[in-house]
Amino acid sequence: MVRKLISVGLVAAFLAWVAWFVSGNLEAFRPITRVGWLDALLLVIAFFAIMVGNGIFIAIVARAFGIRLGGAEWISLSLASSFANYFLPFRGGTGIRALYMHQVHGFRITEFVSTLSVMYLMHIVINGLIALAGMVLVVSNGGPANLVLMAFFAAAATAGVLTMMVNVRMRGDYDHFPMAQIARMANAWHTIRKDRALVGKLWLLMIGMTLATVFQCRTAFNAVEITLPWEGVLVYAAAKNLAGLIGLTPGALGVVELVSIYLGNVLGYSTADALTVQGLIRAVAIVSLLLAGPAAIIYLRRGLARSPATRTLEADG
């Protein structure tokens, strides 16, 4: 209950601040009303490319545990979990995936957490390296050298790589951040890393999803007539992905925006620009999920209703 109240409070405070800021700077947000249909279409395509990537990741990892998901299943899992993540706090979509995989396919919760941890670990390494590379390019092209950002991205990537290098299982009885999360990711990676072909596919998939996010951000900046060099887009997209892992609020609302605003001090765009770009990206995601998410949830609910585990529970009840 306390966590939910914190989440609601953070969202309410952020939205109140946004309303105040936008009301005093209406002219700065005019470009969002001039977004062309082609840019909007490209943003929708980029969003669904990321959704498909998420679904394929689930399917590939599940296969490593002897579970084969149909195309309708993995895309529904991706859309339904993203729908819940956007409208529920603390990454509520994770629970939907875990419940479905456990009830329908007998996928143990511990194994599910392992697959999720592997995804997060790869996510951190790839985006940390891309953001760091982008910062180096920003500096080499005459931009400011923000040592705090560079150190953070380097630390994130290094921590991820070092976790992957752990070749023994860590204790699983840690209770507190960050050791509990590190142990979970290290042990999950220890399980998955034995299948090199699988790992190779996952790396390529995660890189492709990250590039889709880069394209999404590039399109959004162009759509609202904000000039940002490619190296800046790399930093923005990778930092956005990393911030999205912080599930305090639905869809990391407020977290990603604050990171975007901070990046503007380095990359040369204003607070209004940051809110406009992120607002456009969120608008496309929300509309897409409102259209596709309910159908995905209905599909999964039917699968749950047909599962032997659910029928057993109903019979016992």
Side-chain angles (χ1 to χ4, degrees):
M1 178 61 71
V2 174
R3 296 179 71 190
K4 289 182 179 179
L5 289 175
I6 292 173
S7 177
V8 171
L10 290 173
V11 170
F14 174 72
L15 292 178
W17 174 79
V18 169
W20 170 80
F21 185 85
V22 171
S23 64
N25 300 273
L26 283 176
E27 196 59 36
F29 293 91
R30 296 292 182 195
I32 203 169
T33 64
R34 299 194 293 269
V35 174
W37 68 268
L38 179 58
D39 286 325
L41 177 61
L42 291 175
L43 286 170
V44 170
I45 291 172
F47 175 77
F48 278 105
I50 296 169
M51 291 296 98
V52 169
N54 275 323
I56 294 175
F57 190 100
I58 296 169
I60 291 175
V61 176
R63 192 175 300 174
F65 291 89
I67 297 172
R68 289 188 174 273
L69 298 176
E73 279 186 294
W74 56 252
I75 189 60
S76 293
L77 283 168
S78 177
L79 288 168
S81 59
S82 294
F83 181 90
N85 284 339
Y86 251 88
F87 301 108
L88 296 175
F90 303 107
R91 304 193 70 82
T94 301
I96 291 178
R97 273 189 288 177
L99 175 65
Y100 181 87
M101 294 296 288
H102 179 66
Q103 293 287 93
V104 177
H105 295 286
F107 199 36
R108 291 183 299 176
I109 299 298
T110 53
E111 292 176 340
F112 174 80
V113 171
S114 295
T115 65
L116 205 61
S117 298
V118 169
M119 189 174 194
Y120 288 165
L121 187 58
M122 289 183 164
H123 201 72
I124 290 169
V125 171
I126 291 172
N127 285 283
L129 290 174
I130 287 178
L132 184 60
M135 285 299 302
V136 171
L137 290 173
V138 167
V139 174
S140 66
N141 288 330
N146 189 302
L147 296 181
V148 174
L149 274 179
M150 296 180 77
F152 172 78
F153 294 139
T158 301
V161 171
L162 289 176
T163 302
M164 289 180 170
M165 292 174 65
V166 175
N167 200 25
V168 295
R169 297 192 68 84
M170 295 179 65
R171 287 168 41 202
D173 57 352
Y174 293 105
D175 295 326
H176 301 293
F177 176 88
M179 287 308 300
Q181 286 74 14
I182 292 173
R184 188 183 301 133
M185 286 190 290
N187 291 338
W189 180 252
H190 182 75
T191 301
I192 298 293
R193 65 183 293 179
K194 300 171 186 177
D195 190 336
R196 293 187 177 182
L198 171 71
V199 171
K201 291 178 182 177
L202 294 180
W203 277 119
L204 289 174
L205 186 59
M206 289 299 294
I207 291 171
M209 290 166 60
T210 303
L211 292 178
T213 304
V214 171
F215 174 77
Q216 178 191 54
C217 294
R218 169 81 281 174
T219 302
F221 274 98
N222 288 344
V224 293
E225 304 164 8
I226 299 171
T227 301
L228 186 66
W230 270 107
E231 60 269 21
V233 176
L234 290 177
V235 176
Y236 182 94
K240 171 180 175 294
N241 280 342
L242 291 172
L245 295 178
I246 303 174
L248 285 175
T249 58
L253 179 66
V255 178
V256 175
E257 282 77 7
L258 290 176
V259 170
S260 176
I261 290 169
Y262 177 77
L263 288 174
N265 297 321
V266 180
L267 302 178
Y269 56 80
S270 68
T271 296
D273 292 340
L275 293 176
T276 300
V277 169
Q278 194 53 36
L280 177 59
I281 291 173
R282 284 198 184 278
V284 170
I286 289 172
V287 171
S288 299
L289 287 173
L290 286 174
L291 292 174
I297 292 173
I298 291 171
Y299 177 87
L300 296 181
R301 287 184 65 180
R302 288 176 178 172
L304 281 169
R306 293 192 301 266
S307 71
T310 302
R311 291 176 180 176
T312 300
L313 287 173
E314 290 175 349
D316 291 342

